[in-house]
């Protein structure tokens, strides 16, 4: 393609800038500072480097672009529009309006070309690391067919957030040379100059983490292009291009001030800005014909690149049909229809900690689902979540399947979102349930994006014992269940563990959370009418009785079963209900729910070693809650059970007391 | 004091090591690796540097010691015992048992001499930064009387956690030369060698963040002593002493393996270890007389240092009584008894966003409570949480009162825990409610330690509008309310804002959370019988009615009031109840609760723009929930209210439908 003249390039960049300013002005809401400051970098990156085809936003060999400073959303929307993605000008004009394709922050799955949902700072940075890792892991599995990179723009906020520091350290360790971030170093934050809080040497910090770093003027197209070329040619280290920019670049009155970060320029300043840039005041949303023509040419070339790849790809597929089959298995992320029975066989029915039973399910599932990869935040010996035989993922063995995240729970979550977004992996993460608190922002985005990540949390109650209250989850179960779109399983034994994993890998179209015990639990005796897939209904009757209904989950189901025996001896007959997944149970028709938990009943009792208020939505406020309402304590498991009244004996006594 | 012989030093270190190993063995649970690996460093630090008096663990000029790798708790307990804190051998022998003073991880307030609760990695590191900042801020306020440091031991896990990276960056920026961390660089994590996941140059990374770094052999007493001297004499930069150590040092069979991290040595290996160290197999918990004598001498000297300080301190107090008064105000952290009426006057009753009204309350409270300091994670223009007049806290102005945390929510929480633990500050933090997810681990520890931190969260519902679902809290209210010991306020107007702040500063003995609106809310009209302190009961009747009870919080109280008017026009009379703090309401006697929410009533309705299941514990499962069960959307506030059915009209319609 002919090199565009300096004038034409300026015209293009100004088009991007003014589309952003006009859209934000019209919405009376938004963040003009970053789009104006990043337009030069984005223009050079998207025209000369970024590999994509607007007609196929899911092309497997496209470069991924991550806008980690998601508040610059209008920059991305302007680019998507000009580069002819399915984002008409009408949607640009409806920026931040109800039902538009242009929400305040970019939302994956909502707008074609948006690779990941960003806004909460640091998340995009870490998710991009996951995408880059995914590309390297696919490259190792299928050499020679995927040759793209992950590019992104990151802000001061991203650089300051701990999740990005964690992800940067791991990206450097793994040598992700296919990752290139442009750091929008504008020295301005919302409270004022970055010097208020931030005086570290960012280049040196990233170099210490194994990154290749460059420093440029973020408005000089030649410097941007040269830096991106150097970064792209660096294959062994991720690259951070520290680009000195001016926030609100082009706005005569507001550039380089925090006032331009989060509010529209305002009619006067917008007018002055257009004047400065030699831009027509009216009409708003103006795109000069030369600019359209230029982008036509660029897009034509980008489409051609995809066509060339498709030709190579078809040949590549034909060369080796078995390999093509594995390739498809990766991208389809499908499990065999009988996965549940395979896992039931693999897990078996002996007494064991559900984390141990889960380990068996993982091995069996991974053997038939190549897309499965996963690991822990340095707790694998406890969480049992490594994939045996697959080998550890490392710089030297990117074909491995067991991920080692280090003691970096938050990055683990965000990186796994990136692995899932990439499209060819079904990742799982693992740590103790208490540390889910470190991962919540990433888990929330997984729910928003409906990522197929399985979040495994072991040591799921005070019954982990001696480690004490700092490690004993109490509020985490209700806290996680409260995230919209999550499906949480707390399996009671091997059958429920197998079916939980079968759901996560074979059925789920969104994140699944598995909460597993540290301590051993016995297999549950079930009625002959029980079908394993009843577990997928979220709840079912374990054994019937007429005087009360004991609703329990996980390790407390066996407590309920034992309490039932004690109560039988006292002439009281109770029904035991297991609720492996309250979310799935709540999705059942009322008739089914009522058949499991009768709406009218002498006494309803919930047994779960966690805070229990939210159970009242299911069982009413007068139900007997045998739950854990306070922090736990450091002691052996049995002593804790007695101390906190979660033994079969204590539960039976409470029920007898209630029944009078 | 006479320099102890090498033999005596070895004897002391081995005493510490074997106390740890014996206690862990007896408990059949614990982490021997770190105590054995850190014993040399801890011995030199505690004997030659650490300034304390075991008879007064709250001495204001003591050095603070933070064991960030809290799983090494037995190391700390051994030291506390040998240095004659109130921790008898009987408690060492009850390590990790129910009700002992020696829980699995150190718990502040539970064991004399434990400065902060640690275990969740990274928290101790960041909390220590808060303590160091507190010392510097007190030094600036009261020159010449406080001259101590904050020392700590941190592990690989602490160094990998994002919260520590955030805190390290801020500590370097603020030049906290009074902070000295020994990094237990043992190159072993639970999954194996750190090389699995961690290859950054830690010294270079910290140097890039403005730290003074040294590298030593962590078992060489001379190197340890020299490094600590150099670190202590460095006044402008925090110091990180990278100490190369061997995990499980002294255990012939398990040293330098991950097997020694989290399990007892086992009878055989313990025997071999004692053999290697020339230690008697029996009795366990052996402390040689020479060791006792040595520690007697050390403790005598440390006590003398405190006596000298007390003499200086009394003179210093006498010199300037007004100054002494301010000093006491800091350490007593008390507010004037009429703080609530002062704040009510200051806040006023005009319509405004509760975040704006909160800003007024902060200024009024700070004017009479010198211990108040606080700020935001780079959102002050939105959260209105700076203290005017006090000036910004910076390296140059440590006497300031407004904290700038940067875009580091997690460190903000942990640092504020440290400011509160220090004892002379009442810190508040601020960000958007959605970003409370980034801070949960620190907030949980604040609840465990009952820290007097006020966590301010603005933009507390989908009604923040255009920023969209990535920024709109939905599950955060129930998620935060589920943390044991938290008190959350969601005030409806100026009166409730004033009383919420009056509670947080004047009444609370534990963390308070304030959830505030971005949008303006009208003042609530209340009955003549209303007393502002009714707000401290957590809930009260705003206006009476007989056909239904509308329970609302925050911005939804005015929605309920408007809905009541619409319903009145339709001949339906409803009671409106405001619940500014559900936790306080639940602490009221049943008679009061029933007088506000009658137990039997035609219809109960909850109006709150958040997920609502846990309200059923209060209103039952058949109540009408006008809540926000799904993620929000990017749109102007009014459009969101209509779309999600949270307008007075929509609420009134739902109630009419229910009443038939």
């Amino acid at each position: 393609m002919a090199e565009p003249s300096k004038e034409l390039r300026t015209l293009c960049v100004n088009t991007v800038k003014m589309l952003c300013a006009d859209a934000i002005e019209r919405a009376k809401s938004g963040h003009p500072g970053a789009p104006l400051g990043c337009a030069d970098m984005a223009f050079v990156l998207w025209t000369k480097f970024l590999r994509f085809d607007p007609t196929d936003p899911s092309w497997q060999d496209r470069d991924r672009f991550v806008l980690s400073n998601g508040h610059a959303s209008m920059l991305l929307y302007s680019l998507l529009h000009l580069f002819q993605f399915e984002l008409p000008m009408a949607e640009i004009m409806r920026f931040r309006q109800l039902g538009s394709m242009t929400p305040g922050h970019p939302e994956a799955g909502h707008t074609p070309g948006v690779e990941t949902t960003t806004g909460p700072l640091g998340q995009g940075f870490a998710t991009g690391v996951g995408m880059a890792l995914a590309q390297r892991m696919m490259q190792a599995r299928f050499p020679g067919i995927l040759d793209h990179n992950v590019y992104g723009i990151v802000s001061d906020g991203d650089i300051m957030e701990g999740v990005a520091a964690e992800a940067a350290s791991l990206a450097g360790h793994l040598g992700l040379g296919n990752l290139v971030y442009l750091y929008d170093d504008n020295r301005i934050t919302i409270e004022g100059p970055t010097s208020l809080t931030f005086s570290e040497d960012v280049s040196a910090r990233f170099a210490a983490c194994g990154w290749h770093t460059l420093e440029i003027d973020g408005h000089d197209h030649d410097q941007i292009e040269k830096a991106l070329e150097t970064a792209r040619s660096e294959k062994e280290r991720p690259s951070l291009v520290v680009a000195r920019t001016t926030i609100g670049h082009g706005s005569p009155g507001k550039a380089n001030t925090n006032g331009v970060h989060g509010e529209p320029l305002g009619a006067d300043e917008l007018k002055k800005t257009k004047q400065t840039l030699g831009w027509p005041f009216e009409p708003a949303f103006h795109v000069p014909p030369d600019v359209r023509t230029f982008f036509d040419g660029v897009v034509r070339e980008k489409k051609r690149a995809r066509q060339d790849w498709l030709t190579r790809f078809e040949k590549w597929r034909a060369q080796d049909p078995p390999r093509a089959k594995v390739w498809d298995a990766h991208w389809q992320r499908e499990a065999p229809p009988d996965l549940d029975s395979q896992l039931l066989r693999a897990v078996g029915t002996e007494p064991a900690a559900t984390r141990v039973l889960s380990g068996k399910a993982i091995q069996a599932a991974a053997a038939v689902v190549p897309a499965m990869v996963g690991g822990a935040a340095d707790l694998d010996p406890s969480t049992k979540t490594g994939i045996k035989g697959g080998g550890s993922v490392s710089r030297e063995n990117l074909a491995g399947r067991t991920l080692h995240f280090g003691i970096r729970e938050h990055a683990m979550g965000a990186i796994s979102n990136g692995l899932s977004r990439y499209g060819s992996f079904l990742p799982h993460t693992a740590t103790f349930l208490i540390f889910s608190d470190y991962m919540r922002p990433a888990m929330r985005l997984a729910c928003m994006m409906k990522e197929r990540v399985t979040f495994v949390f072991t040591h799921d109650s005070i019954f982990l014992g001696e480690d004490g209250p700092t490690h004993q989850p109490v509020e985490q179960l209700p806290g996680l269940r409260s995230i919209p779109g999550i499906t949480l399983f707390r399996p009671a034994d091997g059958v429920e563990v197998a079916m939980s994993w079968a759901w996560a890998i074979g059925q789920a179209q969104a994140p699944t959370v598995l909460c597993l015990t540290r301590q051993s639990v016995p297999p549950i005796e079930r009625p002959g009418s029980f079908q394993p897939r009843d577990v997928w209904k979220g709840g079912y009757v374990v054994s019937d009785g007429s005087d009360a209904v004991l609703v329990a989950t996980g390790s407390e189901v066996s407590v309920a079963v034992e309490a039932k025996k004690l109560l039988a001896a006292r002439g009281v007959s109770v029904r035991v209900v297991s609720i492996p997944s309250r979310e799935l149970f709540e999705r059942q028709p009322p008739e089914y729910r009522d058949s499991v938990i009768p709406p009218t009943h002498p006494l309803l009792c919930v047994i779960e070693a966690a805070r229990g208020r939210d159970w009242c939505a299911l069982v009413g406020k007068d139900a007997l809650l045998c739950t854990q309402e306070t922090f736990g304590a450091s002691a052996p498991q049995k002593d804790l059970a007695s101390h906190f009244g979660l033994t079969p004996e204590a539960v039976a006594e409470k029920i007898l007391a209630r029944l009078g």
Side-chain angles (χ1 to χ4, degrees), chain A:
Chain A
M1 183 183 78
E3 181 67 19
S5 68
K6 190 169 187 322
E7 294 59 36
L8 180 54
R9 278 192 279 120
T10 309
L11 202 65
C12 291
V13 170
N14 288 343
T15 307
V16 171
K17 287 175 159 179
M18 291 305 96
L19 278 180
C20 296
D22 283 334
I24 292 164
E25 203 62 30
R26 183 184 179 114
K28 299 187 193 59
S29 167
H31 301 75
L36 295 177
C38 298
D40 286 304
M41 293 191 288
F43 173 75
V44 175
L45 172 63
W46 279 58
T47 48
K48 298 211 156 180
F49 293 85
L50 207 64
R51 176 177 166 83
F52 63 88
D53 180 340
T55 62
D56 181 5
S58 59
W59 172 30
Q60 293 154 332
D61 197 35
R62 73 192 185 278
D63 287 331
R64 273 53 168 186
F65 174 75
V66 173
L67 184 73
S68 194
N69 50 341
H71 53 270
S73 55
M74 258 319 300
L75 173 66
L76 180 52
Y77 299 144
S78 305
L79 294 164
L80 291 172
H81 171 74
L82 292 169
F83 282 97
Q84 305 174 9
F85 283 77
E86 288 279 338
L87 192 65
M89 187 64 86
E91 291 297 323
I92 301 291
M93 294 172 154
R94 295 181 58 228
F95 179 53
R96 297 189 151 219
Q97 303 310 302
L98 191 64
S100 80
M101 289 168 69
T102 49
H105 292 78
E107 295 176 31
H110 186 86
T111 314
V114 171
E115 296 284 3
T116 184
T117 300
T118 52
L121 291 170
Q123 297 297 326
F125 184 114
T127 302
V129 169
M131 294 176 177
L133 176 58
Q135 191 272 344
R136 279 293 171 97
M137 287 168 67
M138 285 300 280
Q139 204 172 40
R141 284 157 172 75
F142 305 96
I145 194 62
L146 290 171
D147 182 33
H148 59 269
N149 299 305
V150 176
Y151 295 96
I153 297 179
V154 305
S155 64
D156 299 310
D158 295 299
I159 298 290
M160 284 194 238
E161 289 285 1
V163 62
E166 291 177 9
S169 179
L170 197 54
H173 174 78
L174 291 170
L176 301 179
N178 57 337
L179 180 64
V180 178
Y181 283 154
L182 292 156
Y183 165 32
D184 176 29
D185 181 19
N186 60 33
R187 312 268 169 103
I188 298 290
T189 62
I190 292 173
E191 292 183 1
T194 50
S195 58
L196 267 176
T197 62
F198 192 54
S199 49
E200 65 185 51
D201 179 338
V202 172
S203 294
R205 201 236 296 178
F206 275 74
C209 293
W211 285 57
H212 162 230
T213 66
L214 308 88
E215 305 197 352
I216 62 165
D217 171 346
H219 300 296
D220 179 320
H221 290 206
D222 298 338
Q223 288 189 38
I224 297 165
E225 181 170 355
K226 234 158 133 289
L228 285 171
E229 262 163 18
T230 317
R232 185 170 56 181
S233 61
E234 166 61 56
K235 300 293 182 194
E236 295 307 310
R237 295 172 296 168
S239 293
L240 185 75
V241 180
V242 179
R244 185 71 179 91
T245 59
T246 303
I247 190 171
H249 191 252
S251 157
K254 289 190 166 181
N256 203 30
T257 68
N258 51 350
V260 77
H261 166 80
E263 284 164 20
L265 292 176
D268 293 359
E269 183 62 18
L270 178 54
K271 201 164 180 193
K272 292 203 192 86
T273 306
K274 289 184 173 180
Q275 207 156 24
T276 317
L277 302 180
W279 206 254
F281 302 157
E282 293 296 336
F285 304 97
H286 170 60
V287 180
D290 294 0
V291 170
R292 287 281 185 209
T293 317
F294 169 73
F295 282 108
D296 283 339
V298 175
V299 169
R300 247 195 320 277
E301 289 205 2
K302 291 189 185 285
K303 287 179 172 170
R304 195 173 306 123
R306 172 165 157 272
Q307 288 308 332
D308 299 346
W309 183 85
L310 285 174
T311 319
R312 279 200 299 120
F313 178 64
E314 286 316 321
K315 211 173 289 141
W316 180 84
R317 284 185 69 87
Q319 278 165 5
D320 187 342
R323 179 182 63 186
K325 215 154 152 288
V326 186
W327 169 273
D328 293 339
H330 268 280
W331 293 97
Q332 286 156 4
R333 301 197 292 178
E334 275 173 10
D338 67 338
L339 181 65
D340 52 345
S341 20
Q342 291 191 41
L343 298 193
L344 285 164
R345 275 194 303 278
V347 171
T349 57
E350 78 280 18
T354 54
R355 64 184 167 126
V356 172
L357 300 166
S358 160
K360 297 183 177 186
I362 289 171
Q363 307 318 323
V368 293
V369 181
M372 269 182 79
V373 295
D378 195 47
L379 286 171
D380 185 63
S382 297
T383 58
K384 320 286 183 193
T385 39
I387 296 176
K388 298 203 178 68
S392 294
V393 173
S394 69
R395 184 191 282 252
E396 298 72 26
N397 180 35
L398 286 154
R401 297 181 72 178
T402 297
L403 298 162
H404 298 274
F405 292 101
I407 300 145
R408 305 181 182 106
E409 297 81 7
H410 199 172
M412 172 169 69
I415 287 170
S416 300
N417 288 345
L419 287 167
S420 171
R421 281 226 59 73
Y422 188 81
S424 60
F425 290 107
L426 290 169
H428 64 265
T429 69
T431 183
F432 293 165
L433 180 55
I434 194 72
F435 301 129
S436 61
D437 280 357
Y438 280 75
M439 300 169 59
R440 277 183 73 94
M443 294 180 72
R444 183 175 212 258
L445 285 179
C447 289
M448 277 191 66
M449 297 190 286
K450 301 190 166 56
E451 291 314 315
R452 291 184 59 187
V453 179
T454 304
F455 298 100
V456 179
F457 297 116
T458 67
H459 298 57
D460 71 346
S461 75
I462 59 166
F463 296 131
L464 62 85
E466 291 87 346
D467 273 349
T470 56
H471 285 54
Q472 291 167 347
V474 168
E475 71 276 25
Q476 283 66 27
L477 283 177
L480 290 174
R481 285 174 177 143
S482 69
I483 306 174
I486 214 158
T487 302
L488 184 145
F489 284 90
R490 189 166 182 250
D493 68 353
V495 170
E496 289 191 3
V497 166
M499 295 307 292
S500 302
W501 268 111
W503 175 275
I505 298 304
Q507 305 295 314
Q509 296 302 320
T512 307
V513 172
L514 303 187
C515 298
L516 306 169
T517 66
R518 176 193 184 212
Q519 76 276 23
S520 180
V521 293
I524 304 300
E525 277 179 44
R526 299 179 172 84
S529 61
F530 171 80
Q531 299 293 326
R533 290 195 178 195
D534 293 345
V535 172
W536 292 351
K537 295 180 183 163
Y540 59 92
V541 176
V542 170
S543 64
D544 210 358
S546 53
D547 300 327
V549 178
L550 276 55
V551 174
T553 79
S555 48
E556 283 69 76
V557 174
S558 51
V559 174
V561 168
E562 290 308 308
K564 177 191 173 86
K565 293 178 189 162
L566 297 170
L567 288 163
R570 308 282 291 269
V572 174
S573 132
V574 301
R575 167 182 287 194
V576 173
V577 169
S578 176
I579 306 273
S581 172
R582 208 172 65 197
E583 296 71 40
L584 292 185
F585 185 68
E586 286 175 344
R587 282 178 228 157
Q588 300 305 311
E591 306 67 41
Y592 179 76
R593 293 204 308 270
D594 293 349
S595 74
V596 175
I597 303 177
T600 60
H601 214 288
L603 175 60
L604 287 176
C605 170
V606 173
I607 315 172
E608 183 173 74
R611 294 202 95 190
R613 275 171 184 64
D614 60 347
W615 277 102
C616 296
L618 195 63
V619 297
K621 69 183 168 69
D622 301 323
L624 169 63
L625 297 184
C626 298
T627 53
Q628 180 65 33
E629 297 300 320
T630 65
F631 288 117
S634 173
Q637 178 208 333
K638 286 190 170 27
D639 300 345
L640 292 172
S642 325
H643 181 71
F644 289 110
L646 287 164
T647 58
E649 295 71 17
V651 169
E653 284 312 318
K654 287 179 201 161
I655 287 166
L656 288 169
R658 269 294 193 98
L659 292 173

